[in-house]
Amino acid sequence: MAKVLSTRSTSPRYVPILPEGGEKKAGEKTNPFRWMIEGFCTLLNQTAETHSSGNFAACGFTWKLQLEIKSSGEDAEKSLSLCLFSAEASSSTGSVVKANYKLLIYDQLYGEHIQKEGEGYFHGTSQYGLCCMVPLKKFNGPKSGLLVNDCCIFGAEVMEAFACKLDREGVSECLSMKKEITPPTYTWVIKNFSKLSAKQVSEVFTSGGYGWRLQLYPNISPYTNSLAMFMVLDNSVALPSKTRVYVDYSICLVDQINGKHEKLSVQRQFSSDGVGWGWHKFLEWKDMQNPSRGFLRNDTCIVEASVAVLGEVSIT
C-alpha cells in the first residue's frame, strides 16, 4: 500500500539512515559527469519528449541525467530542462536519497555555463529538487554557445549524498492507499415501492474486504419531500476504534425507461461508529414519482452501488 502522512503543527522531515553504532557517512566525492549529445537536431525531431543518459556513480550512489524538451501549453514556447535522478532510491522500501548537487549546461564558446546548485530528495522514480531549464530558442540560437556544430554538453556534479528516511515523529494520521481497486457493482431491487412507509435497508454486500449496506428513505421523516440514500459500513465489521476506511463510492438510481440514470459519487472515511454517508436529498420526491422519469416501473425501483476501498486511515 502507498502511504500518505498528515501531521499537526510540525512538518515531516527526512533523517539520515545510520549504520549500527556509526554516524552518517556520505560517499566520496567524484568527478563531474559530462553527457555529450551529437546530432542534437535529430533528437529534436524525435517524438519522445524525454531522453536519458546512462548511469554514472557519484558519492556512493548511482545516478542518471534526464533531458526533457516540451512546451508548458499549446501556445507556449518549448523549453529544455535538465534533471538528476537516482537509481538507488527505492519506492518499495521507502528509502530516500538526499543529495547536494549541481546541474550544468555547458557554454562551449564563451564559458557562460548555465548551472543550478542546491539539494534534492530522490524516492523511487521521483525527483524532488532543482532542474536546470533554458528556453529552446536561447539554447539553439545563432549566437549561443550552448549548441555548437549540432553538439551540446550537459553535466552533473554530486557533492554529497546519503540515504535517509521519513521521520514519523509528530505524525497524527497515516492513510495507506491500496494499489489495485476493482469495485464490483451491487444491484438492489425494491418491489412494491408505493407501499413503503419506513426506512429500507439492503442486504450486506462485500467490497474491498468490508461489508456495506444501503439505506433508503422514501419521503419519510426526517427527509420528507425527497428520496434520501446513504452508504453504511456494516456494523458487524470488527474495525479498531482508531482505524477508518477511506472509500470512493457511488449510488445510482436506474432510469428503467430512458436510460438517464441519476448517479452521485463521493469520497468519504467510514469508521466503526455506524454513521452512514450519503445524500439527504438524492432526488426530489416529485421527480421520483414522475412516470416519464423512469425511476419506477411496475412499482419497482432499482438502485446500483459501487464501493472502491482506496485505503485505510490509522490514527495515532
Side-chain angles (χ1 to χ4, degrees):
M1 288 187 179
K3 294 189 177 182
V4 180
L5 305 173
S6 64
T7 65
R8 298 171 187 165
S9 69
T10 58
S11 299
R13 61 191 179 92
Y14 288 97
V15 294
I17 298 176
L18 302 178
E20 288 188 15
E23 298 181 353
K24 180 192 76 177
K25 293 183 179 180
E28 291 187 6
K29 183 178 176 181
T30 53
N31 293 327
F33 171 75
R34 291 186 175 88
W35 179 28
M36 177 184 290
I37 299 178
E38 296 179 326
F40 182 79
C41 290
T42 302
L43 181 144
L44 281 179
N45 294 327
Q46 304 298 311
T47 55
E49 294 182 336
T50 58
H51 309 272
S52 300
S53 73
N55 292 343
F56 65 95
C59 291
F61 295 93
T62 304
W63 311 87
K64 67 178 178 179
L65 285 174
Q66 181 171 290
L67 186 67
E68 187 174 45
I69 306 168
K70 68 175 184 179
S71 57
S72 56
E74 291 183 1
D75 301 324
E77 293 183 356
K78 282 189 174 183
S79 60
L80 180 151
S81 62
L82 181 70
C83 298
L84 181 69
F85 284 82
S86 168
E88 301 288 336
S90 170
S91 58
S92 60
T93 62
S95 66
V96 174
V97 176
K98 179 181 179 181
N100 295 314
Y101 62 100
K102 182 190 298 183
L103 295 173
L104 301 104
I105 303 176
Y106 289 95
D107 185 325
Q108 304 171 60
L109 296 180
Y110 313 107
E112 297 177 357
H113 313 310
I114 297 175
Q115 66 179 39
K116 275 197 174 183
E117 182 175 342
E119 68 177 26
Y121 294 87
F122 302 83
H123 177 245
T125 57
S126 299
Q127 179 260 9
Y128 306 92
L130 55 92
C131 284
C132 196
M133 184 176 295
V134 59
L136 195 57
K137 276 189 176 181
K138 177 180 178 180
F139 180 81
N140 58 9
K143 297 182 179 180
S144 171
L146 303 175
L147 184 65
V148 178
N149 295 328
D150 206 19
C151 172
C152 51
I153 304 173
F154 305 98
E157 182 178 358
V158 182
M159 284 79 76
E160 182 186 35
F162 54 87
C164 56
K165 61 182 179 180
L166 182 66
D167 181 7
R168 297 184 176 228
E169 182 179 354
V171 172
S172 303
E173 185 175 296
C174 175
L175 170 60
S176 301
M177 301 292 290
K178 292 191 174 183
K179 293 184 178 181
E180 296 183 5
I181 304 169
T182 54
T185 299
Y186 168 71
T187 302
W188 184 21
V189 179
I190 307 172
K191 298 181 178 181
N192 301 316
F193 191 85
S194 62
K195 298 179 181 180
L196 300 180
S197 58
K199 177 180 75 173
Q200 302 297 302
V201 181
S202 75
E203 62 182 5
V204 177
F205 64 96
T206 303
S207 182
Y210 294 91
W212 306 91
R213 290 182 185 269
L214 286 170
Q215 293 181 349
L216 182 148
Y217 291 77
N219 188 29
I220 60 173
S221 179
Y223 314 116
T224 55
N225 300 318
S226 66
L227 177 74
M229 283 199 282
F230 303 91
M231 183 71 68
V232 179
L233 179 64
D234 182 41
N235 58 16
S236 64
V237 175
L239 196 64
S241 60
K242 291 188 176 182
T243 300
R244 297 195 295 264
V245 184
Y246 182 45
V247 308
D248 183 335
Y249 70 93
S250 65
I251 300 177
C252 176
L253 184 61
V254 177
D255 179 346
Q256 305 172 60
I257 299 175
N258 313 297
K260 297 180 179 179
H261 314 308
E262 189 73 19
K263 182 178 181 179
L264 296 177
S265 302
V266 73
Q267 292 182 357
R268 287 287 186 268
Q269 293 184 10
F270 289 80
S271 63
S272 57
D273 58 14
V275 175
W277 291 100
W279 295 270
H280 296 170
K281 188 175 288 187
F282 188 91
L283 188 70
E284 292 279 355
W285 189 249
K286 62 180 181 180
D287 293 329
M288 183 67 187
Q289 296 289 92
N290 187 344
S292 65
R293 296 296 302 271
F295 299 126
L296 287 175
R297 189 174 187 184
N298 297 327
D299 206 22
T300 298
C301 166
I302 300 176
V303 179
E304 294 181 343
S306 66
V307 181
V309 177
L310 304 178
E312 294 178 351
V313 178
S314 300
I315 303 171
T316 59

